[in-house]
Amino acid sequence: MSPIKTNWTRLIRFVAVETSRIHIGQPASPTVDVGLAAAQGQIIKAYEIIGSALDPAAQLSQNLLTVRTLLSPLSNEEVKVVRCLGLNYSDHAAEANLARPAFPILFYKPVTSLIGPLATVVIPQAAQPPKEHLPDYEVELVIVIGKPAKDVEEKDALDYVLGYTGANDVSFRKHQMAVSQWGFSKSFDNTNPFGPCLVSNSAIPDPQKVFLKCTVNGHIVQDGTTAEQIFNVRQTIAFLSQGTTLEPGSIILTGTPKGVGFVKKPPMYLQGGDRMNVWLGHGIGTLLNNVEEEKPSKKLVPKL
C-alpha cells in the first residue's frame, strides 16, 4: 500500500467573490494563515481545485479566485463519520489527575455539531447557565481518511490519510461527568469549529510534530504538541480500523493537550461574549470563533 498522493498541498473550501458559488482551492500564498487572514478581512486568493476534496486525482488549476466566505474544508455531506479520542495526551491526563488509559477512549459526534472556521459557537439552553455546565475549549488535530481502511497495521496507517486539519472540541463538563458516555456532552449543534486548511499528508510526514495552541479572550490557555499523544496517529488508525471500515471522509479528532478550563482552580468556563482562537502548525492555521448563549424559547426543555 502506498501513501495517497494529491495535486494540492493545502486545500480550503470557500464561497468565491467572482461566482458567489462554493469552490475548493489552494491558497495562492504558501504561508498565509487563511483563518486569521479571513477574520482580519484580508484579501485571500486561491487557485481552484477541479474535482472533489476526497478525490486524490482532483486537479489544481491556474484559475485564481478570491475568497468571500471561508468554510470548513469538507462539507457535512462529505464527512462520513466523526470519531473522537478522549484523554489522549499524557499532560492532559496528568492535569486531570486521571490514569493514562490502557485503550483509546472513544466517542462519536453528529455532523450537525460541526461549524466553519469563523462561525459562532452557540451554548444551547440545555447547557446553561455556563457557570453550572462549564463549557470548555479543546484544540485538536484532526485526521481525514482518504481511502477505505480496515484492519490496518500500524506501519501502514499513514498510507490511508488524505490530510490533517484542526478542530475545537467544545465540551460541556457537567453533562460529560454525569455519565460514562461522553457523546451527548460533546455533540450539541454548532459547537465544533472545524478547519481551516486541510493539509496533505505529504506536507505533514510526521503528525507527531504538530504544535497546537488555544487562546481565549487573548490569553493563551493551551500550548502543546502532538508528541504528547498517548495513542499516536498510527496507533489510532490501526485501533479504529479493527473489524471496521473507515470510509473516505471519516474524520478523527485526536484529543487535546493540557490547559483545559474545568481543571483550573477556580474552573474557567466559556460564556457569551468570549472569543476563542485555536491554532495548529504546519499550515493548518487558525479557527477564530465567538461564543454566544442561545436565547430562551417558549418551548420548555428538560434539564439535567
Side-chain angles (χ1 to χ4, degrees):
M1 187 66 68
S2 58
I4 297 171
K5 294 182 179 180
T6 62
N7 295 300
W8 48 267
T9 303
R10 294 202 302 159
L11 181 149
I12 60 173
R13 184 169 151 267
F14 59 96
V15 177
V17 170
E18 292 82 358
T19 66
S20 297
R21 299 178 64 182
I22 296 175
H23 299 262
I24 55 173
Q26 175 160 285
S29 167
T31 59
V32 66
D33 181 331
V34 292
L36 188 60
Q40 294 175 345
Q42 298 179 24
I43 295 174
I44 304 169
K45 297 285 187 177
Y47 290 103
E48 185 179 14
I49 296 171
I50 308 301
S52 163
L54 297 176
D55 181 4
Q59 294 297 308
L60 180 61
S61 77
Q62 292 302 305
N63 183 30
L64 194 60
L65 297 171
T66 309
V67 175
R68 172 185 291 168
T69 305
L70 183 64
L71 307 171
S72 293
L74 299 179
S75 69
N76 282 9
E77 291 73 26
E78 290 174 313
V79 175
K80 292 296 183 183
V81 68
V82 185
R83 304 193 73 176
C84 311
L85 269 66
L87 206 66
N88 192 38
Y89 279 69
S90 56
D91 55 4
H92 175 42
E95 74 173 349
N97 292 316
L98 295 171
R100 290 166 58 108
F103 299 94
I105 296 173
L106 304 174
F107 58 95
Y108 287 81
K109 283 177 175 275
V111 294
T112 52
S113 67
L114 301 178
I115 57 174
L118 306 181
T120 298
V121 169
V122 179
I123 299 174
Q125 279 283 296
Q128 293 183 32
K131 186 175 182 179
E132 177 185 338
H133 286 267
L134 302 178
D136 210 346
Y137 48 82
E138 291 190 1
V139 57
E140 307 212 6
L141 177 71
V142 179
I143 306 165
V144 179
I145 298 296
K147 57 187 175 185
K150 183 177 181 180
D151 296 325
V152 172
E153 296 183 26
E154 283 185 28
K155 65 181 180 64
D156 300 322
L158 299 188
D159 293 348
Y160 295 84
V161 176
L162 178 68
Y164 303 91
T165 189
N168 186 349
D169 177 21
V170 174
S171 305
F172 297 84
R173 303 304 187 185
K174 179 181 179 181
H175 285 293
Q176 181 181 356
M177 300 307 172
V179 293
S180 60
Q181 295 295 322
W182 294 356
F184 180 74
S185 66
K186 292 169 172 276
S187 295
F188 294 120
D189 289 353
N190 305 314
T191 54
N192 194 129
F194 172 48
C197 267
L198 175 58
V199 177
S200 68
N201 58 22
S202 62
I204 305 181
D206 185 353
Q208 306 313 134
K209 293 182 178 180
V210 178
F211 291 100
L212 59 174
K213 184 183 296 186
C214 177
T215 66
V216 177
N217 300 329
H219 300 286
I220 297 173
V221 289
Q222 291 182 284
D223 190 0
T225 168
T226 53
E228 290 286 339
Q229 287 182 346
I230 296 170
F231 301 101
N232 64 31
V233 170
R234 289 180 181 272
Q235 292 169 324
T236 295
I237 294 171
F239 185 87
L240 292 180
S241 70
Q242 294 178 103
T244 303
T245 301
L246 302 176
E247 296 182 277
S250 298
I251 67 173
I252 305 168
L253 279 66
T254 58
T256 198
K258 69 177 180 180
V260 295
F262 84 103
V263 301
K264 299 182 185 297
K265 298 185 185 300
M268 177 181 175
Y269 55 89
L270 301 170
Q271 55 189 323
D274 284 344
R275 172 79 160 179
M276 298 180 290
N277 291 10
V278 157
W279 171 86
L280 293 93
H282 288 268
I284 294 172
T286 305
L287 301 164
L288 302 97
N289 307 95
N290 293 327
V291 179
E292 71 175 33
E293 297 172 32
E294 183 182 33
K295 295 179 180 179
S297 64
K298 294 181 180 180
K299 183 177 179 181
L300 296 177
V301 179
K303 281 189 170 185
L304 181 67

